[in-house]
Amino acid sequence: DAGITQSPRHKVTETGTPVTLRCHQTENHRYMYWYRQDPGHGLRLIHYSYGVKDTDKGEVSDGYSVSRSKTEDFLLTLESATSSQTSVYFCAISEFSAGYTFGSGTRLTVV
Amino acid sequence: DQQVKQNSPSLSVQEGRISILNCDYTNSMFDYFLWYKKYPAEGPTFLISISSIKDKNEDGRFTVFLNKSAKHLSLHIVPSQPGDSAVYFCAATTGSSNTGKLIFGQGTTLQVKP
């Protein structure tokens, strides 16, 4: 669906480098979320946003920061990538409390 | 502390039979539950949900059952089809929360054999 796109789809980066993942929506939804998916852990919430410049931490926020300067864009930054941050990252949007639409994911490998 | 648990990492069933996926939760404040389905290289997609005021919700071949006293829900797929092979995530939230955060389980990989 074109309503939510993530970029890049794949990225390989070196330990210690900064990395920014982008989530872009065309639905004008208020809420945006970043999750990571890891085997045995399912989907875990990293950070979320409930409006422009309004963000909060999720359950696994250490090592990550986010920014939302426009309704349509939610950026996830790894300030200094570590191998433990190798994962698949999903962005999601919602307007109501239980109507999530997920992006197709970004596969990040930190070597 | 895992608030939503799916204790079976995988399940294999024969085509045409029933698939039952289970989910347990610990937070009594959860009042809305959802199931998501995920194919490889794609994002999860919404499958079915249930509010805590109900104990059953049905949508075609998919039925979700909620047992609040046991803090347990299950997803039944009847009949199972090979195209149902995917990872299924259980999720929960508090409807009164204005942040809309969903807490997910670990996922169960369902394989439906032809």
Side-chain angles (χ1 to χ4, degrees), chain A residues 48-90:
Chain A
Y48 62 99
S49 170
Y50 43 97
V52 173
K53 299 191 188 304
D54 290 325
T55 65
D56 206 346
K57 296 179 179 180
E59 56 184 312
V60 290
S61 60
D62 287 349
Y64 302 94
S65 62
V66 290
S67 65
R68 191 169 178 198
S69 58
K70 299 184 290 184
T71 298
E72 57 266 36
D73 289 323
F74 192 32
L75 304 180
L76 177 70
T77 297
L78 290 67
E79 302 291 346
S80 177
T82 68
S83 57
S84 65
Q85 293 176 311
T86 292
S87 185
V88 181
Y89 292 85
F90 287 100

